[in-house]
Amino acid sequence: MFMAEFKLKFGDRKWYVRRIVEASSLEEAEEKARKYVQLMNRGEVLWELSYVIEAQRPLIIGDEELKKLS
């Protein structure tokens, strides 16, 4: 499982979103994320791919994550 982070721009506003990417390798995940950017860039909001990482427990804040940070 992988997680991709995207930077979105609309006028002078910027924000970030993350999406889970189903893929068997990092290369496949990056390819899917780039394709996603192309498909999403049809409106007024500009999508840019920031990065793709392998994620064991994406977007979860649990005891394990808090222990790693302390």
Side-chain angles (χ1 to χ4, degrees), residues 38-49:
Q38 291 174 348
L39 295 171
M40 293 302 289
N41 276 333
R42 296 183 181 176
E44 295 181 40
V45 176
L46 176 65
W47 286 66
E48 295 177 6
L49 176 61

Side-chain angles (χ1 to χ4, degrees), residues 30-70:
E30 289 174 342
E31 181 181 322
K32 286 183 176 186
R34 285 189 194 96
K35 180 67 173 176
Y36 186 76
V37 165
Q38 291 174 348
L39 295 171
M40 293 302 289
N41 276 333
R42 296 183 181 176
E44 295 181 40
V45 176
L46 176 65
W47 286 66
E48 295 177 6
L49 176 61
S50 294
Y51 61 83
V52 177
I53 60 170
E54 187 170 3
Q56 298 297 323
R57 294 170 46 106
L59 304 179
I60 294 174
I61 298 174
D63 293 337
E64 182 178 327
E65 288 71 27
L66 294 174
K67 185 177 180 181
K68 286 180 185 178
L69 293 172
S70 56

